[in-house]
Amino acid sequence: MVSKIPYFTAITTYFSCAMLFAFGKLRDTFSKIFVNWWHSTNLQGYAPISEGHEHFIMQLYARIEDCFERPICSPPDAWFDVVHRVANDNNKVLKRTKKVSRCLNLGSYNYLGFAASDEYCSPRIIECLKTFSASTCSTRVDGGTTILHTELEDYVAKFVGKPAAIVFGMGYVTTSAVLPVLIGEGGLIISDSLNHGSIINGARGSGASIRVFQHNTPSHLEKVLRENIAEGQPRTHSRWTKIIVVVEGIYSMEGELCKLSEIIDICKKYKAYVYLDEAHSIGAVGKTGKGVCELLGVDNANVDVMMGTFTKSFGSCGGYIAGSKELIEYLKYTCPAHLHGISISPPAAQQIISAIKVMLGEDGSNRGAQKIARLRDNCNFFRFELQKMGFDVLGDYDSPVMPIMLYNIAKLPAFSRECLKQNVAVVVVAFPATPLLLARARLCISAAHSREDLIKALEVISRVGDLVGIKYLSAEPKKKQLLEENKA
């Protein structure tokens, strides 16, 4: 959860945002006459594609566009090559240059380091490319199912501990396309308030009624469940056809672990299905990388629908749904992502299979176990040191996602640019992706990082933190508190 926002920070953030929005709206008002004239002259009666609030946000972020979409020209390993860009028109057009900086990568989701060249995975991908080519150029139900796809689904089911699994070509589509198939009008989706956009879009597209419970708060979930079961469907008050509670294993903007055990107990009590999104947790947490169920000691038989992506820990692309054989068979006949979407590229499927084999030790080594243990050690070391320095860091120990709170949106470009100057690449996030007062830098730790890499990152972030002014917590009392907790 977010710490209490410093009073002075809240006041200055509100004031700076008010000034920014006021001058921005004033500029838009004075330019409206010219814009209307330009539209009438050049669009020939067509409505502008971008206008109103969306257009204002685009103009707002144009000034800090250099902090986003930075091109790279190497694999997203612990270190990667960032291409520099320049603009002579207030960032309206950013042009790539030939200048390249070797930067420490704290932005990619390459949790286990499989996205770079690997001694076991890479040779098999090359052989796969020779055998199957880059794409099947077909959907799964037509000519897009190879022996690799069926092998991959068997391995995914084995890895997550479910009877069956189905894989899709894109992680975002997995949830946004599956939820509308699982539930529709007359059903009820109860979603965590900080769930990912794919869950939100999938829920909206289902036609089911949607209710939201306070982030990671089982007591409020029970209250929402109880009230809505008693009330029934809108207008008719008839019984809900089904209820699905949707949560994430690790919340991608918070770095927090789901309180899964308590949520499952509540769902059992009220006969609601549990849908668990493990995009950021599968492979990254648990003794053998099998996600939050393993980490928290929860029997995954109590999770009805297990979803995950291959874009983080497995160094590939796509997503999966794992569950009962009846569920997977139903999705194969009804899910549009399976029926109409192109299948996972064969080399990408081979990458996932090879990564799972390494994690299971089927490559004949213990490299998988070492990667998982190193990731956990790196995460906990880095989080502890950041907190000791006085940074306000969200999330839980063992989580590879570490948001550092910047709060004031004006500090976002300053933090990003100063880190890049010192060859550390970070991701920054602000409104409208987060609430107005909760701008942050989201750091992602990898097993590929060495201890020296992390120490360098800490030194740079500490210097930039002092420069930008984001060490909101008193370092010495925090250090003593953390040391006591560590001893305990």
Side-chain angles (χ1 to χ4, degrees), residues 122-140:
S122 298
R124 285 158 179 78
I125 296 168
I126 294 170
E127 286 303 313
C128 172
L129 186 61
K130 293 177 181 177
T131 304
F132 292 99
S133 81
S135 173
T136 63
C137 296
S138 184
T139 64
R140 289 291 302 276

Side-chain angles (χ1 to χ4, degrees), residues 176-184 206 242 330-331 334-336:
S176 58
V178 166
L179 271 180
V181 176
L182 295 179
I183 193 169
S206 69
K242 72 180 76 167
Y330 172 71
L331 291 177
T334 57
C335 183

Side-chain angles (χ1 to χ4, degrees), residues 447-487:
H449 289 132
S450 66
R451 186 54 58 93
E452 291 74 22
D453 292 338
L454 298 180
I455 291 172
K456 173 183 170 53
L458 289 165
E459 291 171 350
V460 170
I461 291 171
S462 180
R463 286 196 298 269
V464 174
D466 289 330
L467 181 66
V468 178
I470 57 171
K471 292 184 178 180
Y472 296 108
L473 306 179
S474 180
E476 282 307 313
K478 189 68 179 176
K479 181 178 178 181
K480 292 178 181 178
Q481 177 191 344
L482 289 167
L483 289 172
E484 289 300 320
E485 289 176 357
N486 196 39
K487 287 178 183 177

Side-chain angles (χ1 to χ4, degrees), residues 154-221:
D154 290 341
Y155 262 102
V156 169
K158 175 183 177 181
F159 186 72
V160 302
K162 281 291 187 181
I166 182 173
V167 298
F168 303 95
M170 182 180 178
Y172 183 94
V173 168
T174 302
T175 290
S176 58
V178 166
L179 271 180
V181 176
L182 295 179
I183 193 169
E185 189 175 350
L188 175 64
I189 295 175
I190 301 181
S191 177
D192 188 286
S193 62
L194 295 183
N195 272 341
H196 190 263
S198 61
I199 296 172
I200 296 169
N201 288 338
R204 288 173 177 170
S206 69
S209 296
I210 304 169
R211 303 290 183 271
V212 176
F213 69 95
Q214 293 170 7
H215 171 58
N216 221 9
T217 309
S219 58
H220 190 248
L221 168 63

